Amino acid sequence: MAADDALWSALGRVAETPTLLVACVFDGALAAEDGDPAEARAEQQSSEALNVLMALGDTTVAVVSHRPADEVAELMFLSGAKGGARVVAPEDVAALRDEVGATAVVAVGLVPGGEPGPGDVVIGVAAEAPYEVEDVDDVCLVLEELAGLRRGY
């Protein structure tokens, strides 16, 4: 991924928010959409970064998918720290934001219901968005950067 100073700056700002929701689409952001969807697996690096984020205070992780939660759990490499990642449908991200009282959202592969808030970071994967990355490998880099930044605060 080419260095995207604007994206890295946005991640630095959002890492400091009091209550963060990190919402990542499973198909296309955490797992490549190549081949049979039943064979899709999340990239291990992304799962590891999400595990770090889940272990941090005031940080909620959501995997966004229409797949059943137990199926998503089988396709991820998550430790279950702090009760594990939430699995929500795309249309439920805004309600989850309200439920956890998130002051900002990092949304990877989706637009989180309505207009993003001023502190939100919306990242498209091979799609137009305020910030864009090319593929699941780039998503891994973004999540690792966010985990490192958030851990520092």
Side-chain angles (χ1 to χ4, degrees):
M1 177 169 102
D4 185 339
D5 291 338
L7 175 55
W8 295 143
S9 293
L11 291 175
R13 285 189 305 276
V14 80
E16 298 177 7
T17 196
T19 307
L20 180 64
L21 171 60
V22 180
C24 298
V25 169
F26 181 81
D27 292 298
L30 297 174
E33 290 187 295
D34 303 338
D36 182 2
E39 298 296 318
R41 297 288 183 273
E43 291 292 319
Q44 186 164 350
Q45 284 179 281
S46 290
S47 293
E48 289 170 2
L50 292 176
N51 279 322
V52 170
L53 288 162
M54 282 190 299
L56 299 175
D58 299 316
T59 306
T60 300
V61 171
V63 177
V64 180
S65 179
H66 284 293
R67 295 173 186 250
D70 58 338
E71 181 180 329
V72 171
E74 289 177 21
L75 302 174
M76 298 288 298
F77 302 97
L78 298 175
S79 68
K82 290 185 64 176
R86 306 281 294 266
V87 178
V88 298
E91 60 272 13
D92 296 331
V93 173
L96 178 59
R97 177 190 192 139
D98 292 342
E99 176 187 328
V100 301
T103 52
V105 176
V106 173
V108 182
L110 76 148
V111 176
E115 289 297 313
D120 294 350
V121 176
V122 178
I123 304 167
V125 182
E128 189 175 324
Y131 302 97
E132 299 173 25
V133 297
E134 291 184 25
D135 55 26
V136 296
D137 292 332
D138 289 347
V139 171
C140 291
L141 296 174
V142 166
L143 292 175
E144 287 174 336
E145 179 72 7
L146 179 60
L149 290 167
R150 185 81 172 154
R151 186 173 31 205
Y153 293 100

